[in-house]
Each structure stands twice: as structure tokens, then as C-alpha cells.
Amino acid sequence: MEAKVAGSASMSLGDEIVRRINALAAISETSEHLTRIFLTPEHRAAADLLMTWMREAGMQAHLDAIGNVCGRYEGERPGLPCLMLGSHYDTVRDAGRWDGPLGLITAISCVGDLNRRGRRLPFAIEVTGFADEEGVRFASTLLGSRAIAGTFDESALGSRDRAGTTMRQALTLFGLDPDHIGAAARAPGELLAYVELHIEQGPVLEAEKLPVGVVTAISGATRLAVELRGMAGHAGTVPMALRRDALAGAAECIVAIEEFCCTDRDGLVGTVGYINAMPGATNVIPGMVSFTIDIRTAKDSYRKLAVADIVRQIEEIVKRRNLKLDINVTHENRTVPCAPWLKQQVADAVAAEGFHVFELPSGAGHDGMAMIDIADVAMLFVRCRGGVSHHPDEHVEDADADAGARVLLRLIENFKPKA
Ligand code: HGY
Ligand code: MN
Ligand code: MN
């Protein structure tokens, strides 16, 4: 049991949160970088630590059928519908320690504060650590929140990671039953609302000199997997004019994507985050290249047009270079608005804690994009240094972690279900 820090409850909240962020960050695939991927041993160790903290906070805690960590703090009487809080506990590769865990640990610490004060509310509180928001291991993402929302696509069980392991096999190895994922789905009406605290992952709050912000909407995203096939060959003997170089073709596609997105089109952003060239030898012309594309803009209709335009450009490059193309959408999420009635309660809590109410959209995706199918959603952003995220330099000042906790606790204690 951790020693409770003296001082006001919210100061101990901030201290406790930062200490736990650092403790959780130590659970990683390697000691050099923070990487915690879905259904790995470090994923399980993190789940166990989170359940320990949930139980210390007075919650019942369990792992659900897809590996979400689920904590429940009963209301004035058992079985009441809940205000669900939480965030994800998986990370990207070489990640920062705040993306996901800040929202999850802050929610656990807020419940711990209520528990220490013996406070019970006219609703239950549930805190969920979503198992896979980043979608690093298997192409599809939001797996944990989709399972809870009842929208998990069973066909994803056949998707393979880079080692060729299927999600089905990984779930089984993790000790879960892939044919039982449906049991994670919650019935509509069990949740009064879903509220997530998260780092902004952008520079706006820092520019505004504000510790917290109220999210208006979560931008939609489209992810695609591309495979180009040409002809492997000897780097020293095949004349340039006779080559079908898959990597040179991929390079032309990647530059075309960047140029298309740079023409300042309604906040359109495009990223190629992963590429793999085969056979991967210095003296062999690459015969096969696979890469990923991530396209985002807040306007769904515009994003669909942009994706179609980019695919058309890739098809033209591939044809001209006499390559074979295989391109699939692996993830598609519409832009999700935060519910006005709930967003207002986040804003009221920000104001009640003495902070300026500032609204901003989220360019990053979050589990609320799946949770919207089962409950209204809202988000509270916390400033992060330089807006840096998905990077080991990601950082939140102690005072901002404490500010976020104070606002979330205020929101919880003043929460009114939708009339
Ligand atoms: O990709 C995203 O926007 C989120 O961090 N998973
Ligand atoms: Mn992330
Ligand atoms: Mn995140």
C-alpha cells in the first residue's frame, strides 16, 4: 500500500498520479524504450498493476474478455448505472508515458479520493483501461472500446501481427477466450456517459497558456495498408530502365501523399508511419514493399474525397512503373462530436476550478470514437509540453496533472445524468 501524501486531497492526487505514471511507465517491452503492445506479457503486468490500484481505490476490478481492465465503484446503492471514465493502457512504440495512462490513472485516483472520504454518489463510477487503442499490433484499432460498445468486428480475430500470430492466437496465449469477446459488450443504459481525460498531444493549450481544455470533437481517421510488388534483382546488373523497383515506387507514392496533404486542405494530415522493403539487402532491388497510410481531417466527407484522390495517384504511379498494387482500408472512424450537455458539465468543472474555459477539437483519435455507440462522450484535455506525443519526450507538468485531476473530480461530484 502506498503512503498517502499529506496535504490537500487534490495535491495528494497530483503527487499520486505522477508517481503512478512513472511506475506504470517502467512496465515495457524493453528498458530502453516505453512500448506496451496489446496482449503481451508487459500488457498483462500493466493490467495487474492497474487492478491493484483500482482495488486500493475501493473498486471491484477485473479483466474483461478482450483484456480491458474494468474497475467499478458502487454508488449510493449497488447496481446503479455508471458514469464511465478511463483511457487506454497500451502504447505506441517508443512512446511517451502520459498518452493513455494519464486519463486512466487520474480517474483511479479521483475514485480513491472519493473512497477515502467515504463519498458515494447517486450513480456508480466505472473506470476502464482500454486494452488496445493504438492499434499497433493488429491493423485495426479501438479493439477494447469496440468490444465494450458491442461493435467488435469478429473478422479482426484473423488479422496477423508482424510475426504472423493471429489475434485469435494472441488472445488464447494471453489466457482469454476469443470466442467470448461478446461478453465484454455492455447493455445500453448501463452507462450514463463516458468522459475521458487525455493529454492534448498538440501545442494549442501551451500556446494559450492554459492547463486544461474542453474537447469539441474527435477527428475521424482512415488507415490503409499498401503493398507494392515489382521484381527483385541484382543491384549491379539490372539497368535502371529495366527495373521494377518496389521501393522507388513506394517512395514516389509517399512524396505524392505528402504533397497532396501539404496543399493546406481543411486541416488535412497524411502520414506514412511504417514501411518494410523485401528482401531488404543492400545489393538487391526491392521486389516487395508494404507501407501504411494514416489520413485525417475533421470533415468526414472531405476525408473520403482525399483518400480517393490519394488512391488514384498511387494507382497512376504503380501503373507507370509496372508494379502490382494491393491497397486496403484497415481502419475507418468518423469524426465524433462531444455531446453538448456533457461537454457543458466539463466546461462547468473547468470554470469551477478557476480555469479559463477553452474549447478545441482533437486531431488525435481516442476510445470515445467507439464508445459513442453506447453512450454520449466528452473529453478533457491536459496541456503537454511542446505538444509532443507519441515520443519519449512527452511530458506533463505536475501542476497540470493536478489541475486535470481537480477538474475531473469536480466533474464527477457534480455530474448530472442527461435529463
Ligand atoms: O492515432 C491516434 O490518434 C491515437 O493516438 N491512437
Ligand atoms: Mn496515442
Ligand atoms: Mn491516446
Side-chain angles (χ1 to χ4, degrees):
M1 178 76 90
E2 293 168 343
K4 292 287 164 273
V5 176
S8 76
S10 61
M11 273 316 285
S12 70
L13 274 184
D15 293 343
E16 181 180 77
I17 289 162
V18 172
R19 193 168 45 246
R20 286 177 167 176
I21 286 281
N22 293 326
L24 189 62
I27 302 178
S28 170
E29 183 180 293
T30 67
S31 52
E32 299 76 43
H33 307 302
L34 172 50
T35 301
R36 198 167 48 238
I37 305 298
F38 182 44
L39 301 177
T40 56
E42 47 278 5
H43 196 241
R44 160 70 74 176
D48 292 342
L49 180 58
L50 289 162
M51 285 191 279
T52 300
W53 289 336
M54 286 178 169
R55 291 177 184 123
E56 281 180 10
M59 288 189 260
Q60 300 289 323
H62 72 281
L63 213 57
D64 77 2
I66 196 166
N68 295 318
V69 178
C70 305
R72 183 173 167 95
Y73 182 75
E74 289 298 348
E76 290 159 346
R77 59 185 187 282
L80 291 171
C82 74
L83 166 63
M84 185 177 281
L85 312 169
S87 193
H88 58 96
Y89 71 101
D90 67 313
T91 72
V92 293
R93 294 192 180 284
D94 196 7
R97 59 188 59 200
W98 304 84
D99 171 11
L102 180 64
L104 183 45
I105 288 170
T106 301
I108 294 171
S109 289
C110 283
V111 173
D113 189 73
L114 294 173
N115 187 46
R116 280 191 290 276
R117 291 184 279 133
R119 186 92 217 270
R120 294 285 170 176
L121 299 164
F123 48 86
I125 300 171
E126 291 193 15
V127 178
T128 304
F130 294 104
D132 179 85
E133 187 274 344
E134 300 287 5
V136 169
R137 184 168 182 180
F138 302 102
S140 46
T141 175
L142 304 179
L143 297 174
S145 38
R146 287 188 199 283
I148 286 187
T151 58
F152 177 81
D153 176 0
E154 303 270 337
S155 68
L157 291 170
S159 53
R160 291 181 185 277
D161 65 12
R162 287 181 200 159
T165 306
T166 64
M167 193 188 302
R168 174 177 290 281
Q169 290 163 333
L171 282 161
T172 307
L173 286 169
F174 195 75
L176 296 170
D177 175 358
D179 294 320
H180 200 60
I181 287 181
R186 304 299 297 273
E190 282 186 271
L191 277 67
L192 298 168
Y194 173 66
V195 176
E196 179 169 351
L197 178 148
H198 200 286
I199 54 170
E200 179 202 341
Q201 298 180 293
V204 173
L205 290 177
E206 189 172 67
E208 295 289 335
K209 298 188 177 27
L210 294 171
V212 292
V214 181
V215 177
T216 54
I218 309 170
S219 282
T222 304
R223 290 186 185 185
L224 301 104
V226 182
E227 195 170 276
L228 302 185
R229 288 184 183 282
M231 180 72 178
H234 196 299
T237 57
V238 182
M240 295 308 284
L242 298 182
R243 294 185 177 202
R244 292 171 54 218
D245 183 332
L247 186 48
E252 188 176 350
C253 292
I254 293 165
V255 170
I257 292 164
E258 185 189 50
E259 281 175 356
F260 180 82
C261 294
C262 283
T263 49
D264 191 21
R265 303 156 181 247
D266 262 343
L268 179 69
V269 287
T271 312
V272 175
Y274 169 81
I275 187 165
N276 180 44
M278 299 295 282
T282 307
N283 58 351
V284 179
I285 302 163
M288 201 280 276
V289 168
S290 54
F291 63 88
T292 60
I293 306 175
D294 178 318
I295 302 291
R296 308 198 194 190
T297 178
K299 290 203 182 92
D300 290 335
S301 54
Y302 182 60
R303 189 177 66 254
K304 288 193 171 41
L305 289 173
V307 168
D309 230 323
I310 286 168
V311 169
R312 217 179 351 269
Q313 290 191 44
I314 291 173
E315 286 169 342
E316 186 277 323
I317 292 165
V318 162
K319 188 160 175 258
R320 177 164 35 83
R321 285 174 169 266
N322 191 16
L323 299 173
K324 281 205 175 34
L325 170 66
D326 197 25
I327 185 166
N328 296 295
V329 172
T330 56
H331 166 75
E332 176 87 65
N333 240 104
R334 67 204 184 292
T335 293
V336 164
C338 293
W341 71 273
L342 191 56
K343 178 163 69 77
Q344 187 55 54
Q345 294 195 34
V346 177
D348 294 346
V350 168
E353 282 299 325
F355 299 115
H356 173 63
V357 176
F358 179 81
E359 294 198 345
L360 70 167
S362 172
H366 299 285
D367 284 297
M369 302 173 97
M371 293 302 287
I372 187 79
D373 288 324
I374 194 171
D376 281 345
V377 305
M379 290 191 75
L380 172 69
F381 269 175
V382 173
R383 173 171 50 190
C384 57
R385 189 176 57 197
V388 169
S389 183
H390 283 188
H391 188 284
D393 289 349
E394 187 183 273
H395 182 72
V396 171
E397 301 304 336
D398 295 8
D400 288 352
D402 188 63
R406 285 165 42 198
V407 173
L408 189 64
L409 186 56
R410 176 80 69 152
L411 171 77
I412 294 166
E413 295 200 81
N414 294 347
F415 175 69
K416 300 276 179 302
K418 187 175 184 180

